[in-house]
Amino acid sequence: MRVILDGVFNHCGSFNKWMDRERIYEKQPGYEKGAYVSADSPYRSFFKFNNEHEWPYNDYYEGWWGYETLPKLNYEASPELENYILRIAAKWVSPPYNVDGWRLDVAADLGFSPDYNHRFWKKFREAVKTANPDAIILAEHYEDASAWLGGDEWDTVMNYRAFMEPVTWFFTGMEKHSDEYKEELRGDAERFRRSMAMNMTEFLTPSLQVAMNQLSNHDHSRFLTRTSGKVGRVDQLGGEAAGEGIRPEIMREAVVMQMTWPGAPTLYYGDEAGVCGFTDPDNRRTYPWGHEDVQMLEFHRRVIAMHRRYPVLTHGSLRILGGGTDWLAYGRFGRKNQMVVLFNNREERMELTLPVWSAGITNDSVLERVFETTKEGFTEESAAYPLIGGELKIVLPATSAVVLEARPRLVPVVQ
């Protein structure tokens, strides 16, 4: 097991000893007065107060997105704060702790200016990589991250633009907070292809290969809830609505894509057990101990094992082989191995003839099924499909995903 720490360096809690708005530490022995308590606090420069020349001094300070309980740290005004955080960055990736990296919360908004933020993350990287060259630096970022991924700041990001968002629109037509449904985006393979092509260019290949590919997380609705196409939040619809009308078979399709698309598939606890939930805070429900969706749990075990079994899924090239309304196919390939992944998100089976030669698959190969999920469940039972003139002919069940591996023509052929 490896461990990555969550570095929330943009802000702290109002109860933190540096601020002490709740006056928890004020009269405790061994503590300095917090910045909220006294203008003479040693932590005063850690925050941006907006009424420095008035009394009382503690009324107005900068909060993250205006939240008073999350006072924003003021790095530009405090070299002491900057040096402290850089020491923390190196400390935890060093012996005896040896953690394996940092996930950086709202990283692009650390300071009050982009120029400062770039300077800081360069220093942060130097501190971390000097202490532990193998530690990963993974940032939360929703926009184009290319300016941060030049090799001297972050290693990669939580992959919203080139994974979570396009995948969610394609399979469910839903926005990632469940705030909107767009019928025109559901099943539109061409828009999916264009979105992925554009957003993946923002990454250098090493950053893309380790990008954090999630379907759900602590900030957005559960993917399983999105499969219902239901727009709203828990305060509007109630908690039970999050589990009504859900489509586990659609989620299994999306998980197959998660395990076969370039990047690092990252599972949000409970997704593997069938947990539902609208966006934050409903998405943070406890794990359903003793009440797991057993089929979904076993499906995740097997599809994760498949991902680990084929290195071409982590390091291979990608080529879109075809797509149309509610269906998509792509190849993952390298010099030694080639795979084809197909999705049918329709309510009926479809017959497909697909050119696969552009993924390096030759006519002396046969494509053998290694994994399939359908409305009824999933299977790893082998089945083989011949190639004729560089084309694959296959029947895809309704609401299915199929993973095929190119192998020498040595197995019985499905007629």
Side-chain angles (χ1 to χ4, degrees):
M1 180 181 291
R2 297 180 182 271
V3 176
I4 298 173
L5 296 182
D6 190 7
V8 186
F9 301 133
N10 174 279
H11 50 270
C12 66
S14 58
F15 51 82
N16 186 292
K17 71 175 184 177
W18 293 347
M19 179 62 80
D20 199 22
R21 175 182 169 177
E22 285 70 31
R23 302 196 170 214
I24 297 170
Y25 300 97
E26 182 179 2
K27 296 181 180 178
Q28 298 293 326
Y31 287 95
E32 302 276 6
K33 290 188 181 299
Y36 189 86
V37 176
S38 171
D40 296 323
S41 168
Y43 311 120
R44 187 71 177 187
S45 65
F46 287 17
F47 306 95
K48 186 176 182 180
F49 287 83
N50 298 322
N51 61 335
E52 291 289 1
H53 302 296
E54 302 175 14
W55 181 262
Y57 290 101
N58 54 15
D59 281 353
Y60 305 104
Y61 55 83
E62 196 82 22
W64 177 75
W65 276 38
Y67 290 107
E68 293 183 353
T69 56
L70 298 174
K72 183 172 171 59
L73 295 169
N74 189 11
Y75 288 85
E76 287 95 324
S78 180
E80 181 184 0
L81 171 64
E82 178 183 275
N83 291 331
Y84 176 80
I85 296 299
L86 292 175
R87 289 197 301 272
I88 292 296
K91 171 184 174 179
W92 289 100
V93 298
S94 303
Y97 312 104
N98 297 312
V99 302
D100 299 289
W102 288 99
R103 179 264 185 188
L104 307 174
D105 192 63
V106 289
D109 298 329
L110 181 86
F112 289 95
S113 73
D115 287 344
Y116 174 79
N117 292 336
H118 283 291
R119 291 198 304 272
F120 177 85
W121 292 123
K122 286 179 172 63
K123 295 177 184 178
F124 185 93
R125 183 182 185 86
E126 182 178 3
V128 168
K129 298 293 186 176
T130 298
N132 182 352
D134 293 329
I136 192 169
I137 300 173
L138 187 157
E140 178 192 30
H141 193 62
Y142 284 83
E143 303 302 328
D144 182 354
S146 56
W148 311 89
L149 298 177
D152 56 351
E153 296 181 56
W154 310 336
D155 287 321
T156 193
V157 294
M158 299 174 70
N159 195 3
Y160 292 107
R161 286 165 65 91
F163 190 76
M164 182 190 282
E165 292 174 353
V167 170
T168 294
W169 288 120
F170 178 74
F171 284 113
T172 73
M174 293 290 291
E175 185 270 337
K176 60 184 179 295
H177 285 288
S178 292
D179 284 340
E180 188 176 13
Y181 175 79
K182 292 186 177 182
E183 178 66 31
E184 70 274 17
L185 294 184
R186 185 187 182 279
D188 190 328
E190 180 57 21
R191 290 198 188 194
F192 174 88
R193 183 195 67 78
R194 291 202 307 265
S195 179
M196 284 296 197
M198 179 181 71
N199 293 319
M200 289 171 73
T201 61
E202 297 168 2
F203 295 80
L204 297 175
T205 298
S207 292
L208 182 65
Q209 289 176 336
V210 296
M212 192 175 186
N213 286 357
Q214 295 183 296
L215 295 172
S216 315
N217 64 26
H218 63 291
D219 284 326
H220 306 95
S221 61
R222 293 276 182 168
F223 189 91
L224 188 54
T225 289
R226 283 177 239 153
T227 65
S228 71
K230 190 173 297 182
V231 173
R233 301 197 175 201
V234 67
D235 59 331
Q236 303 160 350
L237 303 175
E240 290 187 5
E244 295 172 351
I246 57 173
R247 303 282 303 278
E249 66 273 22
I250 292 178
M251 180 164 180
R252 292 196 297 270
E253 286 185 84
V255 174
V256 169
M257 180 173 286
Q258 184 184 32
M259 296 297 160
T260 57
W261 194 263
T266 308
L267 185 63
Y268 183 45
Y269 82 95
D271 270 11
E272 76 280 19
V275 172
C276 295
F278 292 111
T279 203
D280 187 18
D282 195 41
N283 53 15
R284 306 189 188 210
R285 302 182 189 188
T286 56
Y287 186 88
W289 298 109
H291 302 281
E292 297 94 335
D293 179 331
V294 176
Q295 184 186 63
M296 187 69 79
L297 196 61
E298 185 59 24
F299 162 78
H300 273 84
R301 289 194 181 105
R302 302 316 307 162
V303 77
I304 289 170
M306 180 198 70
H307 171 80
R308 294 170 63 89
R309 195 159 58 242
Y310 297 104
V312 73
L313 296 179
T314 58
H315 295 91
S317 297
L318 168 75
R319 182 180 293 276
I320 301 292
L321 299 176
T325 302
D326 280 322
W327 74 272
L328 181 73
Y330 53 82
R332 297 299 311 277
F333 58 97
R335 291 182 178 179
K336 295 182 179 180
N337 301 102
Q338 302 84 36
M339 304 188 80
V340 175
V341 189
L342 307 103
F343 302 89
N344 175 21
N345 203 35
R346 300 177 181 182
E347 297 301 318
E348 63 279 340
R349 67 199 289 268
M350 66 176 296
E351 297 183 10
L352 185 65
T353 299
L354 184 73
V356 297
W357 58 267
S358 61
I361 301 171
T362 59
N363 282 331
D364 59 356
S365 300
V366 65
L367 283 167
E368 185 172 354
R369 184 179 68 193
V370 297
F371 201 91
E372 179 179 274
T373 177
T374 66
K375 185 174 289 189
E376 290 71 33
F378 66 95
T379 182
E380 295 176 279
E381 184 179 346
S382 177
Y385 301 87
L387 299 181
I388 302 174
E391 292 184 334
L392 163 70
K393 291 188 176 183
I394 189 171
V395 176
L396 298 176
T399 327
S400 66
V402 181
V403 183
L404 308 173
E405 181 190 16
R407 294 181 179 175
R409 196 189 291 260
L410 299 176
V411 294
V413 171
V414 173
Q415 298 296 327

